[in-house]
Amino acid sequence: MWKTILRRFLILIPQLFILSVLLFLFAQAMPGDALRGRIGPDTHPDLLAELRAHHGLDQPWHVQYWRWLTALAQGDFGTSHTFQRPVTEVVGDSLANTMRLAIVATILTYLIAIPLGLLAAKFKGKIVDKAVMMYTFVALSMPTLILGLFFILVFALRLEWFPSGQAVDIIADGQGGWTRFVSQMHHVMLPAITMALLGTVSIIYFLRGEIIDNDSSDFVTTARSKGVPNNRVYTRHILRNALLPVAGNFGAIIASLFTGSLFIEVVFTYRGMGQLFVNSLQGRDYPVIFALTMFFAVVLSISFLVTDIIITILDPRIRIK
Amino acid sequence: MQHSIWKTMWKEICRDPLAIIGLAVFVATVATVYIWALFIPLEAMDGVFHLRLAPPDWAAGVPLGYDNIGRNVLHYLIIGARNSFNIAFMVTGGAVTIGMLFGLLAGYYGGFIDYILMRILDFFTMIPSLIIIIIVAALFNFTVVSFSVMMLLLSWPATARLMRSMTLRQGSLEYVSASKTLGTPNIVILFREVLPNLVSIITANLTITLAMNIGIETGLTMLGFGLARDVPSLGRLIEFGRTAYNMQNRLWLWVPAALMVVIMMLCVNFVGQALNRAADAKKRRA
């Protein structure tokens, strides 16, 4: 198994390399460069050329690529053109906000999904089960962005329970400490609820299916015939086995929340990595775009890998060859 | 064999009232959109200046009002829906075809072919496809066709993976080895014997992919990373909801398109659920 993990990590290197070359070629083909928007219409062409040369934008792409790669090897992601700050700082700021959103959304997802899955399985075929299944259909069919719009309309603009944008209140941010934390949580709630409500579907299906399957399995029949009380069978025998695949699903949930946050952030104007990505793209801020794309690629593959590892640890029957 | 699986699928749909309603609403909506779109003149997309943002007026026969450049929103909705459906159908068809062939080959032949195909698949899975689409959208103006091609990149790996694991399972069954012993060529086994057994899974997968693609297209377009600005789409209408004023006070601009997307996806998923049951003998309702 360790060999597999090592191999998966090693494969990551050529994959990231190909991806970064592709990105550089895209960047070369994109109209406009990082100086766009920072120059007036009457900027002297000589000055412009000088600025380009200063940033190294006049060199062919492979020279720029090599410079970027060697800097990266030394842990330097470059400087953001737009913010004139190191990319690591710029990304770090928004990463904290995105992480908060992802964590709160994950917790909410499990908080909603596990009880619903348990209820649906326990009352299989009854009205409760049907209601839960109906909810999963609607959640499956509801694009996050559209639900986000309706939620902003109802809960932020009409009822004014939640703020409709930003990651934190400016005044509360200045006060720091507890006030800031409360404000951050208040801002993160609505997008997190939106994501959580729609992210529960796979967990509910898994849990319900596993419980129902286990319920009719031999070891449960044996336990029942030995006279183990029903509740105990349920908690000790069925649940333990049924929660395994749910835990195995964890990596996939994280991956989908990260990529999902890319879009939900734009709709909620939440200042995270998604927003940063879109803004850098519009400002042609390549160092930030590259760093973010690489980050997303690494997060995606690691979460797939983690999923596989968790499954192997939890279920010895499945062995990675 | 082939005959009976279609029958089973149809039976499952007929047994489930939600699936029947879903199928009926879906077919009716698609038919209405495609037929109605034929009768909407091209000039309808030009807009009338003094009618900009005029609210709905049932008496005048404009139930959905006008948009920001004076286009009849109802007409725009129909033309936009046709584009959105076109994309969804093309992408789904393409993704399922590619994924099916890919999965069949990898799963059936195994060994070296499987290894190479899986590495290709791994690469596509790892690419943050949405990010690539966004970057390319900043580069080119997407038309209906070029956008469909980009979306194909996003949706085929999932189908390929599913098909591979299903083919693997079929490949180890006795009827395959029996057929091999009789000397049936691999290609015949693959397409005449294994494939028919997977038809129900493919169809169920088809519906789920279709629903997903409707959502992805409108989502990307409403954020400005999808179709070019001059191509009508449901996402373009939903985009109006992104400004607080339009969202609260001009519901006619974005709510109909948003509801249309949700209802279409719901209908497709209801049908898909019934097909899923047909694909799995254990879940069939006796």
mmCIF file of all heavy atoms in Angstrom, chain A residues 131-155:
data_model
loop_
_atom_site.group_PDB
_atom_site.id
_atom_site.type_symbol
_atom_site.label_atom_id
_atom_site.label_comp_id
_atom_site.label_asym_id
_atom_site.label_seq_id
_atom_site.Cartn_x
_atom_site.Cartn_y
_atom_site.Cartn_z
ATOM 1 N N ALA A 131 -39.928 11.396 2.500
ATOM 2 C CA ALA A 131 -39.630 12.828 2.588
ATOM 3 C C ALA A 131 -38.142 13.076 2.395
ATOM 4 O O ALA A 131 -37.739 13.979 1.654
ATOM 5 C CB ALA A 131 -40.105 13.375 3.933
ATOM 6 N N VAL A 132 -37.326 12.256 3.048
ATOM 7 C CA VAL A 132 -35.869 12.430 2.912
ATOM 8 C C VAL A 132 -35.443 12.199 1.470
ATOM 9 O O VAL A 132 -34.644 12.953 0.903
ATOM 10 C CB VAL A 132 -35.110 11.474 3.861
ATOM 11 C CG1 VAL A 132 -33.618 11.552 3.591
ATOM 12 C CG2 VAL A 132 -35.390 11.826 5.299
ATOM 13 N N MET A 133 -36.004 11.170 0.851
ATOM 14 C CA MET A 133 -35.646 10.879 -0.536
ATOM 15 C C MET A 133 -36.063 12.025 -1.465
ATOM 16 O O MET A 133 -35.350 12.402 -2.392
ATOM 17 C CB MET A 133 -36.314 9.578 -0.992
ATOM 18 C CG MET A 133 -35.664 8.320 -0.425
ATOM 19 S SD MET A 133 -33.981 8.117 -1.017
ATOM 20 C CE MET A 133 -33.048 8.351 0.452
ATOM 21 N N MET A 134 -37.228 12.604 -1.148
ATOM 22 C CA MET A 134 -37.696 13.749 -1.939
ATOM 23 C C MET A 134 -36.696 14.904 -1.809
ATOM 24 O O MET A 134 -36.357 15.557 -2.801
ATOM 25 C CB MET A 134 -39.073 14.172 -1.409
ATOM 26 C CG MET A 134 -39.871 14.993 -2.371
ATOM 27 S SD MET A 134 -40.193 14.064 -3.877
ATOM 28 C CE MET A 134 -40.416 15.406 -5.013
ATOM 29 N N TYR A 135 -36.234 15.117 -0.587
ATOM 30 C CA TYR A 135 -35.244 16.173 -0.361
ATOM 31 C C TYR A 135 -33.982 15.922 -1.174
ATOM 32 O O TYR A 135 -33.442 16.837 -1.794
ATOM 33 C CB TYR A 135 -34.931 16.263 1.138
ATOM 34 C CG TYR A 135 -33.585 16.871 1.461
ATOM 35 C CD1 TYR A 135 -33.350 18.232 1.270
ATOM 36 C CD2 TYR A 135 -32.552 16.096 1.962
ATOM 37 C CE1 TYR A 135 -32.116 18.788 1.551
ATOM 38 C CE2 TYR A 135 -31.319 16.633 2.252
ATOM 39 C CZ TYR A 135 -31.104 17.979 2.041
ATOM 40 O OH TYR A 135 -29.879 18.513 2.321
ATOM 41 N N THR A 136 -33.527 14.646 -1.220
ATOM 42 C CA THR A 136 -32.313 14.377 -1.979
ATOM 43 C C THR A 136 -32.521 14.615 -3.475
ATOM 44 O O THR A 136 -31.636 15.114 -4.147
ATOM 45 C CB THR A 136 -31.819 12.928 -1.785
ATOM 46 O OG1 THR A 136 -32.833 12.034 -2.231
ATOM 47 C CG2 THR A 136 -31.456 12.641 -0.361
ATOM 48 N N PHE A 137 -33.737 14.310 -3.962
ATOM 49 C CA PHE A 137 -34.001 14.583 -5.383
ATOM 50 C C PHE A 137 -33.876 16.065 -5.672
ATOM 51 O O PHE A 137 -33.230 16.477 -6.633
ATOM 52 C CB PHE A 137 -35.421 14.136 -5.762
ATOM 53 C CG PHE A 137 -35.517 12.682 -6.044
ATOM 54 C CD1 PHE A 137 -36.588 11.945 -5.597
ATOM 55 C CD2 PHE A 137 -34.527 12.051 -6.783
ATOM 56 C CE1 PHE A 137 -36.686 10.605 -5.859
ATOM 57 C CE2 PHE A 137 -34.620 10.705 -7.053
ATOM 58 C CZ PHE A 137 -35.705 9.981 -6.585
ATOM 59 N N VAL A 138 -34.524 16.848 -4.819
ATOM 60 C CA VAL A 138 -34.500 18.295 -5.054
ATOM 61 C C VAL A 138 -33.067 18.819 -4.934
ATOM 62 O O VAL A 138 -32.603 19.613 -5.751
ATOM 63 C CB VAL A 138 -35.437 19.021 -4.062
ATOM 64 C CG1 VAL A 138 -35.340 20.519 -4.251
ATOM 65 C CG2 VAL A 138 -36.862 18.558 -4.273
ATOM 66 N N ALA A 139 -32.331 18.330 -3.929
ATOM 67 C CA ALA A 139 -30.961 18.792 -3.739
ATOM 68 C C ALA A 139 -30.087 18.406 -4.924
ATOM 69 O O ALA A 139 -29.217 19.169 -5.345
ATOM 70 C CB ALA A 139 -30.387 18.210 -2.452
ATOM 71 N N LEU A 140 -30.355 17.224 -5.467
ATOM 72 C CA LEU A 140 -29.576 16.741 -6.607
ATOM 73 C C LEU A 140 -29.839 17.599 -7.835
ATOM 74 O O LEU A 140 -28.970 17.774 -8.686
ATOM 75 C CB LEU A 140 -29.986 15.286 -6.887
ATOM 76 C CG LEU A 140 -29.060 14.405 -7.687
ATOM 77 C CD1 LEU A 140 -27.754 14.229 -6.942
ATOM 78 C CD2 LEU A 140 -29.713 13.060 -7.916
ATOM 79 N N SER A 141 -31.055 18.131 -7.907
ATOM 80 C CA SER A 141 -31.454 18.847 -9.118
ATOM 81 C C SER A 141 -31.274 20.348 -8.993
ATOM 82 O O SER A 141 -31.646 21.087 -9.890
ATOM 83 C CB SER A 141 -32.919 18.568 -9.439
ATOM 84 O OG SER A 141 -33.163 17.199 -9.332
ATOM 85 N N MET A 142 -30.756 20.807 -7.854
ATOM 86 C CA MET A 142 -30.696 22.245 -7.637
ATOM 87 C C MET A 142 -29.250 22.715 -7.806
ATOM 88 O O MET A 142 -28.389 22.352 -7.025
ATOM 89 C CB MET A 142 -31.187 22.534 -6.213
ATOM 90 C CG MET A 142 -31.154 23.981 -5.822
ATOM 91 S SD MET A 142 -32.382 24.964 -6.648
ATOM 92 C CE MET A 142 -33.781 24.718 -5.601
ATOM 93 N N PRO A 143 -28.980 23.511 -8.860
ATOM 94 C CA PRO A 143 -27.620 24.033 -8.961
ATOM 95 C C PRO A 143 -27.323 24.949 -7.761
ATOM 96 O O PRO A 143 -28.185 25.728 -7.357
ATOM 97 C CB PRO A 143 -27.642 24.840 -10.255
ATOM 98 C CG PRO A 143 -28.834 24.379 -11.002
ATOM 99 C CD PRO A 143 -29.823 23.946 -9.969
ATOM 100 N N THR A 144 -26.120 24.809 -7.203
ATOM 101 C CA THR A 144 -25.750 25.582 -6.029
ATOM 102 C C THR A 144 -25.959 27.081 -6.239
ATOM 103 O O THR A 144 -26.418 27.781 -5.330
ATOM 104 C CB THR A 144 -24.259 25.367 -5.703
ATOM 105 O OG1 THR A 144 -23.882 24.093 -6.174
ATOM 106 C CG2 THR A 144 -24.001 25.487 -4.238
ATOM 107 N N LEU A 145 -25.595 27.536 -7.427
ATOM 108 C CA LEU A 145 -25.644 28.971 -7.665
ATOM 109 C C LEU A 145 -27.068 29.497 -7.614
ATOM 110 O O LEU A 145 -27.325 30.572 -7.083
ATOM 111 C CB LEU A 145 -25.038 29.280 -9.031
ATOM 112 C CG LEU A 145 -23.585 28.861 -9.187
ATOM 113 C CD1 LEU A 145 -23.075 29.197 -10.562
ATOM 114 C CD2 LEU A 145 -22.749 29.559 -8.126
ATOM 115 N N ILE A 146 -28.007 28.706 -8.162
ATOM 116 C CA ILE A 146 -29.393 29.168 -8.187
ATOM 117 C C ILE A 146 -29.956 29.177 -6.770
ATOM 118 O O ILE A 146 -30.594 30.141 -6.349
ATOM 119 C CB ILE A 146 -30.238 28.282 -9.131
ATOM 120 C CG1 ILE A 146 -29.786 28.529 -10.572
ATOM 121 C CG2 ILE A 146 -31.705 28.577 -8.972
ATOM 122 C CD1 ILE A 146 -30.531 27.736 -11.604
ATOM 123 N N LEU A 147 -29.663 28.123 -5.999
ATOM 124 C CA LEU A 147 -30.119 28.120 -4.603
ATOM 125 C C LEU A 147 -29.486 29.307 -3.867
ATOM 126 O O LEU A 147 -30.140 29.978 -3.062
ATOM 127 C CB LEU A 147 -29.730 26.811 -3.917
ATOM 128 C CG LEU A 147 -30.296 26.668 -2.510
ATOM 129 C CD1 LEU A 147 -31.806 26.549 -2.547
ATOM 130 C CD2 LEU A 147 -29.706 25.475 -1.770
ATOM 131 N N GLY A 148 -28.211 29.574 -4.169
ATOM 132 C CA GLY A 148 -27.529 30.710 -3.557
ATOM 133 C C GLY A 148 -28.258 32.011 -3.831
ATOM 134 O O GLY A 148 -28.491 32.812 -2.917
ATOM 135 N N LEU A 149 -28.680 32.203 -5.073
ATOM 136 C CA LEU A 149 -29.396 33.434 -5.424
ATOM 137 C C LEU A 149 -30.692 33.543 -4.629
ATOM 138 O O LEU A 149 -31.011 34.587 -4.062
ATOM 139 C CB LEU A 149 -29.716 33.457 -6.925
ATOM 140 C CG LEU A 149 -28.562 33.727 -7.886
ATOM 141 C CD1 LEU A 149 -29.074 33.729 -9.315
ATOM 142 C CD2 LEU A 149 -27.911 35.058 -7.568
ATOM 143 N N PHE A 150 -31.448 32.413 -4.584
ATOM 144 C CA PHE A 150 -32.723 32.461 -3.856
ATOM 145 C C PHE A 150 -32.475 32.728 -2.370
ATOM 146 O O PHE A 150 -33.227 33.471 -1.727
ATOM 147 C CB PHE A 150 -33.493 31.149 -4.044
ATOM 148 C CG PHE A 150 -34.213 31.070 -5.354
ATOM 149 C CD1 PHE A 150 -33.894 30.099 -6.292
ATOM 150 C CD2 PHE A 150 -35.212 31.978 -5.672
ATOM 151 C CE1 PHE A 150 -34.551 30.030 -7.511
ATOM 152 C CE2 PHE A 150 -35.880 31.923 -6.890
ATOM 153 C CZ PHE A 150 -35.541 30.944 -7.816
ATOM 154 N N PHE A 151 -31.422 32.127 -1.812
ATOM 155 C CA PHE A 151 -31.125 32.327 -0.395
ATOM 156 C C PHE A 151 -30.737 33.771 -0.111
ATOM 157 O O PHE A 151 -31.145 34.348 0.895
ATOM 158 C CB PHE A 151 -30.001 31.381 0.056
ATOM 159 C CG PHE A 151 -30.518 30.047 0.499
ATOM 160 C CD1 PHE A 151 -31.813 29.674 0.233
ATOM 161 C CD2 PHE A 151 -29.706 29.177 1.205
ATOM 162 C CE1 PHE A 151 -32.305 28.450 0.640
ATOM 163 C CE2 PHE A 151 -30.182 27.943 1.622
ATOM 164 C CZ PHE A 151 -31.478 27.584 1.339
ATOM 165 N N ILE A 152 -29.924 34.358 -1.013
ATOM 166 C CA ILE A 152 -29.557 35.767 -0.820
ATOM 167 C C ILE A 152 -30.815 36.622 -0.831
ATOM 168 O O ILE A 152 -31.018 37.488 0.019
ATOM 169 C CB ILE A 152 -28.580 36.237 -1.918
ATOM 170 C CG1 ILE A 152 -27.254 35.486 -1.811
ATOM 171 C CG2 ILE A 152 -28.323 37.730 -1.795
ATOM 172 C CD1 ILE A 152 -26.275 35.836 -2.900
ATOM 173 N N LEU A 153 -31.692 36.331 -1.811
ATOM 174 C CA LEU A 153 -32.921 37.123 -1.931
ATOM 175 C C LEU A 153 -33.751 37.021 -0.654
ATOM 176 O O LEU A 153 -34.181 38.037 -0.092
ATOM 177 C CB LEU A 153 -33.739 36.640 -3.137
ATOM 178 C CG LEU A 153 -35.109 37.299 -3.319
ATOM 179 C CD1 LEU A 153 -34.953 38.770 -3.632
ATOM 180 C CD2 LEU A 153 -35.908 36.625 -4.416
ATOM 181 N N VAL A 154 -33.959 35.788 -0.176
ATOM 182 C CA VAL A 154 -34.877 35.591 0.951
ATOM 183 C C VAL A 154 -34.215 35.941 2.284
ATOM 184 O O VAL A 154 -34.714 36.771 3.052
ATOM 185 C CB VAL A 154 -35.397 34.137 0.977
ATOM 186 C CG1 VAL A 154 -36.262 33.914 2.213
ATOM 187 C CG2 VAL A 154 -36.196 33.844 -0.280
ATOM 188 N N PHE A 155 -33.061 35.335 2.567
ATOM 189 C CA PHE A 155 -32.501 35.442 3.914
ATOM 190 C C PHE A 155 -31.602 36.664 4.109
ATOM 191 O O PHE A 155 -31.437 37.128 5.228
ATOM 192 C CB PHE A 155 -31.715 34.180 4.262
ATOM 193 C CG PHE A 155 -32.580 32.964 4.324
ATOM 194 C CD1 PHE A 155 -32.461 31.970 3.393
ATOM 195 C CD2 PHE A 155 -33.550 32.854 5.317
ATOM 196 C CE1 PHE A 155 -33.272 30.853 3.434
ATOM 197 C CE2 PHE A 155 -34.365 31.747 5.373
ATOM 198 C CZ PHE A 155 -34.229 30.736 4.423
#
